[in-house]
Amino acid sequence: MNTQQPAAYEQLRQHFQKISHFEHFAALGDWDQATMMPAGGSDSRAAAMAELAGHIHQLKTAPNLTDWLSEAEQQLSALTLPQQANLREMKQQWRHASCVPSSLIQAKTAAAYQCEHQWRQQRPANDWQGFKANLQPLLQLVKEEAQARADAEGVAPYDALLAQFEPGMTAARLEQTLGSLRDWIPTFIQQIHERQLPAVASNDAQRYPIARQQDLGKEVMHFLGFDFQQGRLDISAHPFCGGVPGDVRLTTRYDEQSFLGALLGIIHETGHARYELGLPFAWQGQPAGLARSMGIHESQSLFFEMQLAGSQAFVDKIYPLLKRHLSCHQSAAELHQQMTQVQPGLIRVDADEVTYPCHILLRFEAEQSLIDGSLAVSDLPEFWDQRMQHYLGLSTKDNYRDGCMQDIHWAVGEFGYFPSYTLGAMYAAQFRFAIEKQLGPLDTLIQNDKLAKVFDWLQQHIWSQGSLLDTDTLVRQATGEPLNPQYLRRHLQQRYLR
Amino acid sequence: MNTQQPAAYEQLRQHFQKISHFEHFAALGDWDQATMMPAGGSDSRAAAMAELAGHIHQLKTAPNLTDWLSEAEQQLSALTLPQQANLREMKQQWRHASCVPSSLIQAKTAAAYQCEHQWRQQRPANDWQGFKANLQPLLQLVKEEAQARADAEGVAPYDALLAQFEPGMTAARLEQTLGSLRDWIPTFIQQIHERQLPAVASNDAQRYPIARQQDLGKEVMHFLGFDFQQGRLDISAHPFCGGVPGDVRLTTRYDEQSFLGALLGIIHETGHARYELGLPFAWQGQPAGLARSMGIHESQSLFFEMQLAGSQAFVDKIYPLLKRHLSCHQSAAELHQQMTQVQPGLIRVDADEVTYPCHILLRFEAEQSLIDGSLAVSDLPEFWDQRMQHYLGLSTKDNYRDGCMQDIHWAVGEFGYFPSYTLGAMYAAQFRFAIEKQLGPLDTLIQNDKLAKVFDWLQQHIWSQGSLLDTDTLVRQATGEPLNPQYLRRHLQQRYLR
């Protein structure tokens, strides 16, 4: 190892450290907006956030970077392996920021702003015509963006969009992995339906005070190893995990008539939060110190929510906490049954883990076709209805609000994100079986209060790796093989057809 | 009026708008740090705030500004009067930022950081020797800063420090105004003591739950016209009013054994908040749209706390709210007696409105002598003890913690700020008599639920003026005369010797 870093690398390191300081305020502004900001603050916040985003973009495309990056690459052997990884990530951030012309970014931002803004009214009003009129020009700009990214990366347009969230992932690989669930899941749902007990009737009169749910949530977070010296739990309309290293802030929303949604939401976000808090400290503020990808991020939240909390052993473990905070009269077994009920529905965010991949497959297919032009926006509702019938036997005819208008992603111009959700579920299952190989059954670990061992495994193999490895290497080093969808199938079979 | 603005002015306008967007995040970071941030966030917040402060300083001293400012000044007649005022304020911000060399700013920031950091332990430990060792080099740097500012402004060093908080104010004018209280107050305290009823005994067993105090505080804020769509009330160790236009955030701290401190704190901060929310909307993000000075700011908080809340009429008005939220068994008259009890004490922040100016006079005298070199840091405790004996008949011998180590101001290198507090009290009293001349007695307005008229007067004469006028003009237009300390004397005489 060379003790003298090349000057160009050091310049880059300092430059990206500076960027991270400004990103600190973007994260704070986002969190505050969702949790604390009164309505009167929105205009000045929007203007300030736009200024900040422009400044960060300027820093990421600063003219100096081109020289520093090529100079540092010429002196690659003078860098340690982690430094080389950091350089690779810097270059990727730079390329992502600089390969799309500013004028296009601005046009897309404006179109997305209008589309999202109106979507908030159009969706409840089931106003497809109105939404379509905004989505069409927005999609056109996204296609231009995809082409610009594709040219820079030397890949196909949809793959270039995927790469923003899941570097290294391609539509072809998604077809092999995600696509392998396509024929299997509808049959599997059939099998479950033949054996599944009827849903537990809920008690409509029951009320669960929010303050009590909050206390319960905090205790469960503590049980999951969350350190409140390094984060917070708050309320927002849409649950998320934000903040910065050392200060990770998660949110949930509460329903006084049912505690399960908020509780599972908290567990899910705690998975994201522990990942963020476990990122390599020495690389804080550097691209190599960031979370690997959206799919890996989602794998951690789904590991917590599905692999851990979805088991009877986990429910048994937290049941006494639940009884202490809430007057819950289901038994632990009834609660688990409720949590693992499989029921096809129209809404992705309400879907159980078995039907969820169908929602993603549908969107993955639609996105590709929208981007390559084989599907027109005006044909989207019919496409949606047809695929929903195929996957889940449900119709969305004339029901745009619960069909292709249900998600915010396309309304803000985000195409290529959806596959991350099911990639996350697949990675989570694969990690689970790798952990069991090494530490024994997860249920036994939970029963014997050995969850810390599981977290140690995740810390060592996933969290502390940040972006030091590419996703494939990370997964191979952690599990001995690349992404393999068989593990999700095996997990679902074990849980639902036992 | 010329419809075509000179190009240089427009450049400046845009540049200062940009600065305000970054200052938005400085305000958010400050507020969050005091109210929400977990301990684990402090390192990355400190680094991000330092980066942001550096960026803002860079923007305020950008090389272009020199040309734009002189070009715009040459085209002064092409600007409207408010634009001319804005230009004046821009120039002042630029001069304040650029007249001190960066190396000196950095050295002072580092010395102040160390001094404050250690003061937090040294004060409770009564460690004067330790504090002195940090204050001496810090004062040296402040003197250098004062000299640099003095050279740029063409005024005396202490006046240059004052100008940061109270543009236009000088030690000589303070001597005329503030100084006129010097001989009067000690005698006045004597007179009060001869007539004052003994203090109402407090009920030590009584507890006032924080949630109830918070609800009461919000109701009183509402009564004072605070719009919760444009702000918040939270908890912090040291009460303050922060945030940005349209989103003003105030804080207080609660004591379960006594509600009065938190309640008066909320009323005080509500005065600051209404000033901020009433600033001229058309000038948002521009220097002319900012609050006029610290003294005028303090006049608004003290108007709310002392002129309004300190009256029997106000206590009578909010008494039903108080009874609704808290089990308070004092009568409204006893409460008012408690609020207007005069009792010399060692601590400035705990002082009543009569003895408060003595604390400021002492500090004003000490600051001037420290800056002009006639008082050495090592002689400060003796000076303090001697002046406290003179003003309030109290000794601080060997009690540094409740003497010259009690305030944070000097520990962070802030000299010239203290006079703002009593300037605020003097302005508040002057505004009160101007309002009464026009609208009749304040007590009658409160009794007849006509407080909105008082707020309208403040909105028109103070809040909506921002920094469009200089302080003297503002005060003269509002009250018909320049700052006149007789009004504070008259107010105190009316309230305490009636």
Side-chain angles (χ1 to χ4, degrees):
Chain A
M1 191 178 113
N2 200 319
T3 52
Q4 177 87 46
Q5 289 166 12
Y9 176 82
E10 178 55 22
Q11 301 267 37
L12 286 166
R13 198 192 60 73
Q14 287 176 19
H15 188 79
F16 276 89
Q17 200 75 37
K18 177 189 284 238
I19 292 174
S20 85
H21 292 147
F22 287 104
E23 284 173 335
H24 177 108
F25 293 106
L28 178 61
D30 275 335
W31 172 82
D32 181 81
Q33 203 161 327
T35 56
M36 299 288 158
M37 192 183 79
S42 54
D43 285 353
S44 58
R45 177 63 51 82
M49 290 293 272
E51 183 82 54
L52 184 63
H55 184 63
I56 290 169
H57 187 258
Q58 222 173 359
L59 289 173
K60 285 194 178 173
T61 57
N64 280 338
L65 288 182
T66 325
D67 293 342
W68 289 339
L69 284 167
S70 67
E71 211 175 297
E73 279 180 334
Q74 280 158 26
Q75 301 163 309
L76 211 57
S77 58
L79 297 176
T80 64
L81 282 179
Q83 287 172 338
Q84 291 181 23
N86 197 30
L87 182 62
R88 178 195 66 217
E89 297 299 318
M90 287 169 173
K91 185 156 190 186
Q92 184 161 295
Q93 285 206 13
W94 166 78
R95 205 170 46 224
H96 279 184
S98 39
C99 68
V100 184
S102 295
S103 56
L104 179 51
I105 298 263
Q106 277 165 22
K108 186 193 155 194
T109 304
Y113 180 84
Q114 175 176 327
C115 190
E116 181 202 342
H117 190 73
Q118 298 193 8
W119 168 79
R120 294 193 180 275
Q121 272 83 54
Q122 287 162 345
R123 190 196 165 196
N126 201 35
D127 175 12
W128 165 246
Q129 293 303 327
F131 183 61
K132 188 177 74 174
N134 287 327
L135 187 61
Q136 275 167 335
L138 176 57
L139 177 64
Q140 191 49 47
L141 293 165
V142 171
K143 283 161 87 167
E144 286 175 39
E145 179 194 356
Q147 191 59 56
R149 294 191 183 283
D151 293 344
E153 313 261 350
V155 299
Y158 184 69
D159 289 352
L161 294 178
L162 283 176
Q164 297 175 92
F165 312 108
E166 208 56 37
M169 187 49 65
T170 63
R173 280 197 68 197
L174 280 174
E175 198 48 51
Q176 283 167 16
T177 51
L178 183 55
S180 76
L181 305 171
R182 188 176 281 129
D183 298 324
W184 177 74
I185 284 193
T187 324
F188 183 62
I189 295 173
Q190 228 24 69
Q191 291 175 292
I192 294 172
H193 263 225
E194 285 158 15
R195 338 183 151 200
Q196 187 170 252
L197 294 170
V200 183
S202 66
N203 182 348
D204 290 341
Q206 184 70 44
R207 287 291 177 278
Y208 306 98
I210 287 172
R212 301 289 199 82
Q213 291 192 54
Q214 213 153 11
D215 290 343
L216 169 66
K218 285 185 181 172
E219 274 216 66
V220 171
M221 284 168 72
H222 180 73
F223 175 71
L224 291 169
F226 184 85
D227 172 9
F228 279 94
Q229 288 291 304
Q230 296 197 70
R232 302 177 46 93
L233 170 68
D234 295 281
I235 299 175
S236 70
H238 301 280
F240 70 98
C241 171
V244 295
D247 176 7
V248 168
R249 303 183 180 193
L250 47 104
T251 70
T252 195
R253 56 183 162 205
Y254 298 95
D255 174 355
E256 290 222 311
Q257 292 183 254
S258 162
F259 63 87
L260 212 49
L263 182 61
L264 290 173
I266 287 172
I267 293 169
H268 180 96
E269 301 303 335
T270 303
H272 283 306
R274 291 223 55 188
Y275 186 15
E276 286 290 321
L277 289 171
L279 289 170
F281 187 77
W283 292 93
Q284 225 173 65
Q286 292 297 312
L290 296 173
R292 182 55 279 182
S293 73
M294 294 320 298
I296 297 296
H297 229 311
E298 207 60 29
S299 80
Q300 298 310 294
S301 52
L302 290 175
F303 186 90
F304 276 57
E305 183 188 356
M306 298 303 180
Q307 302 298 335
L308 293 182
S311 73
Q312 183 67 59
F314 187 90
V315 177
D316 291 343
K317 203 46 114 180
I318 64 160
Y319 192 70
L321 300 181
L322 228 142
K323 291 293 275 187
R324 193 158 76 225
H325 289 284
L326 305 172
S327 54
C328 150
H329 28 216
Q330 292 127 301
S331 68
E334 284 169 334
L335 206 62
H336 184 250
Q337 192 202 325
Q338 195 182 338
M339 284 165 66
T340 51
Q341 195 74 24
V342 174
Q343 182 60 54
L346 296 177
I347 305 297
R348 176 184 61 84
V349 295
D350 295 337
D352 56 77
E353 64 177 326
V354 176
T355 58
Y356 199 104
C358 297
H359 294 272
I360 299 305
L361 276 160
L362 182 165
R363 286 157 178 79
F364 169 54
E365 293 159 10
E367 280 186 344
Q368 287 182 90
S369 306
L370 288 167
I371 295 296
D372 73 18
S374 59
L375 176 65
V377 169
S378 53
D379 296 331
L380 183 57
E382 202 194 319
F383 178 92
W384 197 281
D385 180 52
Q386 185 258 315
R387 299 310 288 158
M388 277 302 279
Q389 301 260 16
H390 169 79
Y391 283 126
L392 297 173
L394 298 169
S395 170
T396 57
K397 192 155 163 39
D398 299 331
N399 182 0
Y400 311 101
R401 128 183 60 198
D402 299 329
C404 64
M405 284 177 73
Q406 70 183 265
D407 297 304
I408 194 175
H409 302 61
W410 294 343
V412 296
E414 210 160 81
F415 289 75
Y417 189 102
F418 284 121
S420 304
Y421 295 115
T422 296
L423 282 172
M426 295 192 289
Y427 285 130
Q430 187 161 339
F431 295 151
R432 179 250 176 94
F433 286 103
I435 288 170
E436 295 201 326
K437 214 171 186 174
Q438 206 173 317
L439 303 174
L442 211 49
D443 284 1
T444 314
L445 291 163
I446 294 169
Q447 280 153 7
N448 298 338
D449 295 318
K450 300 286 185 211
L451 261 183
K453 287 189 169 195
V454 176
F455 299 141
D456 286 347
W457 190 96
L458 293 170
Q459 173 68 49
Q460 185 191 335
H461 292 88
I462 314 296
W463 306 341
S464 69
Q465 299 301 321
S467 287
L468 290 164
L469 308 172
D470 64 51
T471 311
D472 273 350
T473 312
L474 178 82
V475 174
R476 211 176 291 115
Q477 286 196 3
T479 70
E481 59 181 311
L483 177 61
N484 183 346
Q486 290 305 317
Y487 294 108
L488 180 59
R489 287 176 64 160
R490 193 186 300 172
H491 155 67
L492 295 177
Q493 275 163 331
Q494 282 188 4
R495 179 167 290 166
Y496 295 92
L497 294 185
R498 192 178 282 237
Chain B
M1 190 179 113
N2 200 320
T3 52
Q4 178 87 43
Q5 289 165 13
Y9 177 83
E10 179 54 22
Q11 301 268 36
L12 286 166
R13 199 193 59 74
Q14 287 177 21
H15 188 79
F16 277 89
Q17 201 76 36
K18 176 189 284 238
I19 292 174
S20 85
H21 292 148
F22 287 103
E23 284 173 335
H24 177 108
F25 293 106
L28 178 60
D30 273 335
W31 172 82
D32 181 80
Q33 203 161 327
T35 56
M36 298 290 160
M37 190 182 79
S42 54
D43 285 353
S44 58
R45 176 65 50 82
M49 290 293 273
E51 184 82 52
L52 184 62
H55 184 63
I56 291 170
H57 187 258
Q58 222 173 1
L59 289 172
K60 285 195 177 172
T61 57
N64 279 339
L65 288 182
T66 324
D67 293 343
W68 289 339
L69 284 167
S70 67
E71 212 175 298
E73 279 181 335
Q74 280 157 26
Q75 301 163 309
L76 210 58
S77 60
L79 297 177
T80 63
L81 282 180
Q83 286 172 339
Q84 291 181 21
N86 197 29
L87 182 61
R88 177 195 66 214
E89 298 298 317
M90 287 168 172
K91 184 155 188 190
Q92 182 160 296
Q93 285 205 14
W94 165 79
R95 205 171 43 224
H96 279 184
S98 38
C99 68
V100 184
S102 297
S103 56
L104 179 52
I105 297 263
Q106 277 166 22
K108 184 193 157 193
T109 305
Y113 180 84
Q114 176 177 325
C115 190
E116 181 202 343
H117 189 73
Q118 298 193 7
W119 168 79
R120 293 193 182 276
Q121 272 82 52
Q122 287 161 346
R123 190 196 166 197
N126 201 35
D127 175 10
W128 165 248
Q129 293 303 327
F131 182 61
K132 188 178 72 173
N134 287 327
L135 187 60
Q136 274 167 335
L138 176 57
L139 177 63
Q140 192 48 46
L141 293 163
V142 171
K143 284 160 87 169
E144 286 176 38
E145 180 195 355
Q147 191 58 56
R149 295 193 182 282
D151 293 344
E153 312 263 350
V155 298
Y158 185 68
D159 289 353
L161 294 179
L162 283 175
Q164 296 175 93
F165 312 108
E166 209 55 39
M169 187 48 66
T170 62
R173 280 196 68 198
L174 281 174
E175 197 48 52
Q176 283 166 16
T177 50
L178 183 54
S180 76
L181 305 172
R182 190 177 281 130
D183 296 324
W184 177 73
I185 285 195
T187 324
F188 183 61
I189 295 173
Q190 226 24 67
Q191 291 175 291
I192 294 173
H193 262 227
E194 284 158 15
R195 335 182 152 205
Q196 186 169 250
L197 294 171
V200 184
S202 66
N203 181 346
D204 290 341
Q206 185 72 41
R207 288 292 175 279
Y208 306 98
I210 287 173
R212 301 287 199 83
Q213 290 192 52
Q214 213 153 10
D215 290 344
L216 169 65
K218 286 184 182 173
E219 274 216 65
V220 172
M221 285 168 73
H222 180 73
F223 175 71
L224 292 170
F226 184 86
D227 172 9
F228 279 93
Q229 289 291 304
Q230 297 198 68
R232 304 176 45 92
L233 171 67
D234 294 282
I235 298 176
S236 70
H238 301 279
F240 69 99
C241 171
V244 296
D247 177 5
V248 169
R249 303 182 179 193
L250 47 104
T251 70
T252 195
R253 58 183 162 204
Y254 297 96
D255 175 355
E256 291 221 311
Q257 291 183 255
S258 161
F259 63 86
L260 211 48
L263 181 60
L264 290 172
I266 287 172
I267 293 170
H268 180 97
E269 301 304 334
T270 302
H272 284 304
R274 291 223 53 190
Y275 185 16
E276 285 291 318
L277 289 170
L279 289 169
F281 187 76
W283 292 94
Q284 225 174 67
Q286 293 297 313
L290 296 174
R292 182 54 280 182
S293 73
M294 295 319 298
I296 297 297
H297 230 309
E298 206 61 28
S299 80
Q300 299 309 294
S301 52
L302 290 175
F303 186 91
F304 276 57
E305 184 189 355
M306 298 303 179
Q307 302 298 333
L308 294 181
S311 73
Q312 182 68 58
F314 188 91
V315 178
D316 290 344
K317 203 46 111 180
I318 64 161
Y319 193 69
L321 302 181
L322 227 144
K323 292 293 275 186
R324 193 157 78 227
H325 289 283
L326 305 174
S327 55
C328 150
H329 28 216
Q330 290 128 300
S331 69
E334 284 170 333
L335 207 62
H336 183 249
Q337 193 201 325
Q338 195 183 338
M339 285 164 66
T340 51
Q341 195 74 24
V342 174
Q343 181 61 54
L346 296 178
I347 305 297
R348 176 183 62 84
V349 296
D350 295 337
D352 55 78
E353 64 177 327
V354 176
T355 57
Y356 199 103
C358 297
H359 294 272
I360 298 306
L361 276 161
L362 183 166
R363 285 158 179 76
F364 169 53
E365 294 159 11
E367 281 186 342
Q368 287 183 90
S369 306
L370 287 167
I371 295 296
D372 74 18
S374 60
L375 177 64
V377 169
S378 54
D379 295 331
L380 184 57
E382 202 194 317
F383 178 92
W384 198 282
D385 180 51
Q386 186 259 316
R387 299 310 288 159
M388 277 302 279
Q389 300 260 18
H390 169 80
Y391 284 126
L392 296 173
L394 298 170
S395 170
T396 58
K397 191 154 163 40
D398 299 331
N399 183 0
Y400 311 102
R401 127 181 64 198
D402 297 329
C404 63
M405 285 177 71
Q406 70 181 270
D407 297 305
I408 195 174
H409 303 60
W410 294 344
V412 297
E414 211 161 81
F415 289 74
Y417 189 102
F418 284 121
S420 304
Y421 294 116
T422 295
L423 282 171
M426 294 192 289
Y427 285 130
Q430 186 162 341
F431 295 150
R432 179 250 177 94
F433 286 102
I435 289 170
E436 294 202 329
K437 213 170 185 174
Q438 206 173 318
L439 303 174
L442 211 49
D443 283 1
T444 313
L445 292 163
I446 295 169
Q447 279 154 8
N448 298 339
D449 295 316
K450 301 286 185 213
L451 260 184
K453 286 190 170 194
V454 176
F455 300 140
D456 286 348
W457 189 96
L458 293 170
Q459 174 69 48
Q460 186 191 334
H461 292 88
I462 314 294
W463 307 341
S464 69
Q465 299 301 322
S467 288
L468 290 164
L469 308 172
D470 64 51
T471 310
D472 273 350
T473 312
L474 178 83
V475 173
R476 210 174 293 114
Q477 287 195 4
T479 69
E481 58 181 314
L483 175 60
N484 182 345
Q486 290 305 318
Y487 293 108
L488 179 59
R489 286 176 66 159
R490 192 186 301 173
H491 156 66
L492 295 177
Q493 273 162 332
Q494 282 186 4
R495 180 167 288 164
Y496 294 93
L497 294 186
R498 191 178 282 235

